[in-house]
Amino acid sequence: MTRRDWGGLPTAVRAAIEDQCGTVTRAVLPDAGRNSDVSATLHTGGGHVLFCKGVRLETPRARMHRHEAQVNPYLPPEVAPRLLWQVEVDGWLLLGFEHVPGRHADLSPGSPDLPQVAATVRALGEALTPCPLDVPRLAEQWTRLAAWRRLAHNPAAEPAAWLRDRLGEFIHRERRAFQALDGDTLAHTDLHPLNVLVADRARVVDWAWSRRAAPWVDPAFLVLRLIEAGHLPEAAERWAAATFPAWRTVTDETRTDFAVAVLGAWHHMFRVDPDPQRAPLVTVARRWVAHRLGETVDTAPLVSGMW
């Protein structure tokens, strides 16, 4: 997807934004983010700074942005930016958020950001349990996807013998994961470093994928992101266990089932849409599953959609 800069927006869209925030004197595009047709930090003539993102209403991403707008009033303002306004004009949906200063979180081993990230994720879990509004359940979404079951429809197309030989087991584990991850917490479900900004504290942005789920789901996704950032799987799990009470309540079997379910979902998404940015995620999930199963697998990156 090609994002537009401020000058490339339709006149009516720019006018609608300026009606909300004042004359825009400078627009700074972020260096990351793929789910909006436009996103920018806007500076106005009155000295106000805000973050604006928008999508065209005919795209599937419009539903994601509506969901984020619906969820935002329930998020704790000290760790998530407030939605200031929402406008629809000329076939566009536009959201204006308070500007959150900071840099993307560093989750690597020994990073000074880790305590701040941990404190924020704990605060979100406490504030958003029970789930404060009616949102889709992650368990229902993953049950509809049933990634391993889909992949098993054509096992000959799977080049990795390690996965082909385990399809039956993985389908079984996936089903159990669907039950285990259901719960009554509003979980972000996408806690990668680009969605966590660190300054005086860590703040979490982009709630478009938030779902009702078990309270340990966000810590579980963080384990994957720690592995991605260079932690050994066992070290990432130890950090989560020392940091999140909810993670300590999860059995070893459920942790393995969840890791398998994530690998299936991410592998299926890559097979459907082989975006190069998906390939490293599949590799990370494979490493976690291999650790959970006590096995060693070749974790060479994907090449041309195949292992």
Side-chain angles (χ1 to χ4, degrees):
M1 181 187 73
T2 302
R3 287 182 299 174
R4 304 193 190 191
D5 59 22
W6 174 252
L9 289 174
T11 301
V13 172
R14 282 183 283 137
I17 293 172
E18 293 188 321
D19 282 345
Q20 297 294 324
C21 66
T23 302
V24 173
T25 57
R26 186 162 66 103
V28 180
L29 272 62
D31 55 5
R34 301 184 303 145
N35 292 320
S36 301
D37 292 307
V38 62
S39 59
T41 299
L42 303 181
H43 299 254
T44 73
H48 182 48
V49 183
L50 72 153
F51 180 76
C52 177
K53 64 181 180 179
V55 291
R56 290 163 293 171
L57 287 170
E58 75 269 14
T59 69
R61 295 183 303 276
R63 183 170 61 180
M64 296 166 51
H65 285 62
R66 290 191 195 280
H67 174 76
E68 182 171 13
Q70 176 192 15
V71 164
N72 184 268
Y74 299 91
L75 304 179
E78 63 274 12
V79 290
R82 291 181 301 114
L83 178 66
L84 303 175
W85 45 262
Q86 175 180 349
V87 174
E88 291 186 26
V89 61
D90 201 26
W92 283 72
L93 170 63
L94 305 160
L95 305 177
F97 294 88
E98 67 174 335
H99 176 249
V100 175
R103 53 177 173 75
H104 299 306
D106 175 7
L107 300 182
S108 63
S111 167
D113 294 350
L114 290 174
Q116 292 189 49
V117 172
T120 288
V121 174
R122 281 197 302 268
L124 288 171
E126 293 168 2
L128 300 176
T129 305
C131 186
L133 75 166
D134 185 19
V135 296
R137 291 183 176 274
L138 183 63
E140 293 178 356
Q141 178 182 332
W142 281 18
T143 299
R144 287 193 301 271
L145 177 63
W148 285 118
R149 189 180 64 198
R150 291 173 187 260
L151 291 165
H153 286 166
N154 187 15
E158 177 53 67
W162 180 77
L163 293 185
R164 280 200 312 272
D165 296 343
R166 287 190 173 272
L167 282 173
E169 175 191 351
F170 283 2
I171 290 171
H172 177 63
R173 287 189 176 277
E174 181 181 59
R175 289 197 190 108
R176 293 195 312 204
F178 297 156
Q179 297 177 346
L181 61 81
D182 199 19
D184 196 27
T185 294
L186 180 61
H188 184 278
T189 82
D190 197 23
L191 289 175
H192 60 73
L194 298 181
N195 284 338
V196 183
L197 300 177
V198 176
D200 59 317
R201 69 187 72 177
R203 293 176 172 85
V204 177
V205 302
D206 195 353
W207 287 77
W209 294 104
S210 55
R211 295 291 183 267
R212 188 188 298 258
W216 53 266
V217 163
D218 273 341
F221 277 117
L222 263 183
V223 168
L224 282 158
R225 296 302 180 173
L226 291 173
I227 297 170
E228 180 185 33
H231 297 253
L232 294 174
E234 54 269 33
E237 290 186 346
R238 283 198 304 270
W239 181 85
T243 304
F244 303 111
W247 181 244
R248 294 196 291 272
T249 68
V250 183
T251 67
D252 278 345
E253 202 69 15
T254 295
R255 293 177 185 182
T256 304
D257 294 345
F258 179 81
V260 166
V262 173
L263 174 59
W266 287 358
H267 181 26
H268 170 72
M269 287 190 290
F270 182 85
R271 294 285 292 273
V272 172
D273 178 16
D275 187 321
Q277 296 189 55
R278 297 188 192 275
L281 296 179
V282 179
T283 299
V284 166
R286 289 178 67 203
R287 288 186 61 205
W288 193 22
V289 169
H291 165 70
R292 295 300 316 163
L293 296 175
E295 298 183 359
T296 301
V297 296
D298 176 17
T299 55
L302 290 158
V303 179
S304 300
M306 295 294 184
W307 274 305

